[in-house]
Amino acid sequence: MNFTTLLLFVPACFALNMAPGPNNLLSLSNATRYGLRISCLAGAGRLLAFALMLMLASAGLAVVLHTSELLFTVIKLGGAAYLFYLAWQLWRSDTTQTTEVTTPALNLLALARQEFLVAIGNPKAILIFTAFLPQFIDPAEPTAGQFTILGLAFLLLEWIAIVLYAYMGVHMRRLFAQPRGKRLFNRSCSGLLAAAGLGLLVSRRS
């Protein structure tokens, strides 16, 4: 693949990865509650969802999402409902616990599932893969290899974004160490997740 194309792709893609969407907000919140390591590992659920979306996009199956208003609406409503559910849970979460959670086995699976469901419930993500990535593909060359390279680069940059947001979350936990501060932070994140769900509800196919 053309090296110059990659130099253009990486910063543009990383800007998308670092955008403060619901998944990045989830990593931030999880890091304040469970720590850096668990939040980063839970991000694997998001990477799995995006890998599946990349496979759909590369296979051309995302065209169905472009053309089916019903399918787009069903996925959108499901994703928005899940964001509202997470917002409600975070709003009501216990802020009196001061010890870090140290039982990652079941909790880690649950958090990874959350990351997966938030990512897979956003149909706009698939449309990004079908609208953004093809701009960096040379139609004169075999497209499968190019799409694979770009897809792997996207997932790597997404993982870096997960780590950075989790790192920020750990430092924010120190700022909100007291129950009152935790409550303020949790409810702020809850409001932002609800706003993301509302934004998903009013979104349209592009």
Side-chain angles (χ1 to χ4, degrees), residues 130-186:
T130 59
F132 175 69
L133 265 65
Q135 297 179 35
F136 299 90
I137 290 179
D138 183 359
E141 300 293 336
T143 59
Q146 295 181 74
F147 204 95
T148 300
I149 292 173
L150 293 177
L152 290 174
F154 179 92
L155 293 176
L156 176 61
L157 293 171
E158 186 68 26
W159 178 254
I160 294 173
I162 290 170
V163 174
L164 290 177
Y165 268 90
Y167 184 76
M168 286 189 287
V170 168
H171 284 275
M172 292 182 73
R173 178 173 59 182
R174 296 170 185 170
L175 296 176
F176 298 100
Q178 299 303 316
R180 183 177 179 181
K182 287 181 182 179
R183 187 180 304 111
L184 175 63
F185 179 79
N186 287 348

Side-chain angles (χ1 to χ4, degrees), residues 55-132:
M55 291 172 61
L56 288 176
S58 65
L61 298 180
V63 174
V64 176
L65 192 61
H66 276 289
T67 57
S68 174
E69 183 72 37
L70 176 61
L71 179 59
F72 183 88
T73 302
V74 168
I75 297 176
K76 181 176 70 172
L77 291 176
Y82 190 66
L83 286 176
F84 288 136
Y85 168 73
L86 289 180
W88 175 245
Q89 276 197 326
L90 196 55
W91 184 275
R92 298 177 65 249
S93 63
D94 181 18
T95 57
T96 60
Q97 184 177 356
T98 57
T99 56
E100 182 174 332
V101 176
T102 56
T103 56
L106 182 60
N107 284 334
L108 181 56
L109 289 176
L111 294 174
R113 184 171 63 248
Q114 279 186 354
E115 286 268 12
F116 178 87
L117 291 174
V118 169
I120 208 73
N122 185 359
K124 300 289 282 187
I126 300 181
L127 302 186
I128 287 176
F129 292 136
T130 59
F132 175 69

